[in-house]
């Protein structure tokens, strides 16, 4: 059934790039628990003429009504379509206007087209794996070369949204309004309760009362994670390794492309940074690189703002960033409790992406040893930093 839908949707999309006579090789991809909104496919478009073969990546939206009910807006990929058809064009125009060197520009994936029929949504992108881009192992902690490259891209991503807001504030604010996606907290309630329950079952006994007290207003804390800040950026929303692609260049350095643009929103840029740290790193990484990573983010953001001819002191100074980071940091534990059950689930216990998929499937039974290790590492750090007492 999915193959038929893909074949039908690709007919119009490929016609737009002058591919009319071709054969399709469609292969479904298992994400092993890295994705829950889509079924993923690699598609090879082999033309019958002398045109080059196209390597496509097709996402077909999960048909689960239960999963969609966690959002007030049922449509999937509307935000991602907005990014590739409008926002990315604006960002490229800003980079051109300010003559940003090619090596300092935001990396992006090629977009071919999409279909937004509810319950049959599909988006077609370049298959980056055909060009040797790789997905990071979500069950491994980030290392420094990868983290450094990922945060450099995040800084460019945020700086471009600042530049957009400065160059065309009215249009920027209209986009922020379009990006407002409200979570249906009534539908999310079971997952939230499960996340709290799992955390309290798996945290070290000597930390249980501290965590229990912290989680008393857990739902309110969840809402605060992406609350607007003093200077809104367009943020990714779920900036973690499974939503990035990477490859190693000839000189040994790392490149990263940000993908999965389904959760863009207007929020504090600190939210993306915290999400990356507390869903992607372990206690050992933070012990060695936590401060270095934060400094690297701001230095890259500052450099990106200057390349776009903005004054960092006026737009988003280090002092403002430090203050926001201090205010938002206590929510890092909220992110961990909320997201780690999904991020660390073992492939054999990951729910199937089908019409019965629901977030409440994540429970104590699906919690992995990695979850226990990561959660307790975050709790230990919060105690060490004086944020949990």
């Amino acid at each position: 059934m999915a193959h038929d839908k893909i074949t039908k949707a690709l007919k119009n999309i490929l016609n737009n790039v002058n591919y009319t006579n071709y054969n399709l090789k469609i292969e479904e991809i298992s994400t092993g628990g890295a994705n829950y909104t889509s079924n993923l496919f690699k598609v090879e478009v082999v033309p019958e003429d002398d045109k080059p073969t196209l390597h496509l990546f097709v996402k077909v939206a999960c048909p689960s009504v239960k999963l969609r009910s966690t959002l007030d807006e049922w449509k999937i990929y509307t935000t991602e379509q907005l990014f590739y058809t409008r926002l990315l064009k604006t960002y490229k125009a800003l980079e051109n206007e300010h003559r940003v060197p090619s090596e300092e520009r935001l990396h992006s994936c090629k977009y071919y087209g999409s279909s937004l029929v509810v319950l049959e949504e599909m988006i077609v992108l370049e298959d980056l794996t055909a060009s040797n881009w790789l997905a990071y192992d979500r069950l491994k902690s980030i290392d420094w070369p990868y983290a450094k490259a990922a945060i450099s891209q995040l800084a460019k991503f945020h700086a471009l949204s600042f530049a957009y807001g400065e160059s065309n504030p009215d249009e920027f604010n209209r986009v922020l309004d379009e990006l407002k996606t409200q979570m249906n907290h009534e539908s999310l309630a079971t997952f939230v309760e499960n996340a709290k329950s799992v955390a309290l079952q798996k945290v070290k006994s000597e930390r249980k009362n501290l965590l229990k007290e912290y989680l008393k207003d857990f739902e309110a804390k969840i809402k605060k994670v992406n609350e607007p800040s003093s200077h809104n950026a367009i943020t990714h929303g779920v900036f973690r390794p499974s939503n990035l692609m990477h490859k190693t260049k000839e000189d040994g350095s790392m490149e990263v492309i940000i993908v999965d643009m389904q959760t863009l929103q207007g929020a504090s840029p600190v939210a993306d940074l915290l999400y990356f740290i507390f869903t992607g790193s372990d206690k050992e990484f933070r012990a060695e690189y936590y401060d270095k990573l934060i400094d690297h983010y701001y230095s890259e953001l500052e450099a990106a703002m200057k390349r776009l001819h903005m004054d960092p002191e006026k737009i988003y100074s280090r002092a403002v960033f430090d203050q926001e980071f201090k205010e938002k940091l206590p929510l890092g534990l909220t992110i961990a409790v909320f997201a780690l059950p999904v991020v660390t689930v073992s492939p054999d216990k990951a729910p199937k992406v089908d019409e019965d998929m629901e977030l409440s499937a994540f429970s104590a039974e699906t919690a992995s040893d990695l979850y226990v290790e990561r959660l307790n590492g975050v709790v230990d750090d919060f105690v060490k930093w004086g944020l949990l007492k």
Side-chain angles (χ1 to χ4, degrees), residues 127-355:
D127 177 13
L128 292 170
T129 64
S131 301
N132 300 317
W133 291 88
L134 301 169
Y136 197 84
D137 183 351
R138 67 181 175 85
L139 302 180
K140 264 181 58 179
S141 172
I142 53 177
D143 58 27
W144 176 245
Y146 178 85
K148 184 180 178 184
I151 291 303
S152 292
Q153 284 299 302
L154 181 64
K156 293 171 188 176
F157 186 75
H158 290 161
L160 282 163
S161 75
F162 287 161
Y164 186 16
E166 290 296 306
S167 64
N168 196 335
D170 291 339
E171 186 178 293
F172 178 75
N173 286 327
R174 285 196 293 272
V175 170
L176 290 184
D177 283 338
E178 286 187 62
L179 293 176
K180 285 179 181 175
T181 300
Q182 299 297 322
M183 301 301 289
N184 185 324
H185 290 278
E186 184 177 339
S187 297
L188 263 180
T190 303
F191 176 75
V192 170
E193 286 304 310
N194 281 353
K196 285 171 60 176
S197 174
V198 174
L200 290 171
Q201 287 179 57
K202 302 299 183 180
V203 73
K204 296 173 188 173
S205 57
E206 65 267 26
R207 308 289 199 206
K208 184 168 290 189
N209 287 336
L210 287 175
L211 185 59
K212 187 175 182 180
E213 185 65 25
Y214 176 90
L215 293 175
K216 277 184 177 178
D217 56 350
F218 185 48
E219 216 172 326
K221 284 185 168 80
I222 292 171
K223 293 177 184 177
K224 287 181 180 178
V225 170
N226 290 308
E227 275 185 355
S229 66
S230 61
H231 197 117
N232 270 356
I234 294 174
T235 61
H236 185 273
V238 285
F239 190 78
R240 62 178 187 249
S242 55
N243 291 329
L244 310 172
M245 299 291 285
H246 72 281
K247 71 176 176 180
T248 304
K249 296 190 287 187
E250 288 184 5
D251 64 3
S253 62
M254 188 83 69
E255 278 187 286
V256 166
I257 286 183
I258 305 171
V259 293
D260 285 346
M261 303 294 188
Q262 293 167 223
T263 54
L264 302 187
Q265 56 201 283
S268 167
V270 167
D272 277 342
L273 185 56
L274 291 177
Y275 203 100
F276 184 73
I277 292 169
F278 293 109
T279 64
S281 71
D282 59 15
K283 186 177 177 180
E284 288 70 31
F285 177 91
R286 292 190 296 275
E288 187 169 356
Y289 296 112
Y290 174 76
D291 291 330
K292 188 176 180 180
L293 189 65
I294 295 164
D295 287 341
H296 176 66
Y297 169 79
Y298 189 80
S299 65
E300 290 290 289
L301 180 66
E302 183 179 45
M305 285 191 283
K306 287 179 178 178
R307 286 193 293 269
L308 293 163
H309 296 96
M310 290 183 286
D311 181 353
E313 283 301 309
K314 292 181 180 178
I315 302 300
Y316 195 61
S317 70
R318 180 64 196 247
V320 170
F321 165 73
D322 285 343
Q323 182 59 35
E324 276 191 17
F325 193 89
K326 182 180 178 181
E327 290 172 358
K328 289 282 189 181
L329 179 56
L331 298 173
L333 180 53
T334 298
I335 292 169
V337 171
F338 185 81
L340 283 178
V342 179
V343 173
T344 62
V345 68
S346 301
D348 60 324
K349 292 186 178 178
K352 189 177 180 182
V353 182
D354 59 18
E355 63 275 5

Side-chain angles (χ1 to χ4, degrees), residues 2-10 26 41 43 58 60 122:
H3 285 50
D4 292 340
K5 288 180 182 178
I6 291 170
T7 300
K8 182 178 177 182
L10 283 180
I26 303 173
F41 298 83
V43 178
V58 180
V60 179
M122 189 181 307

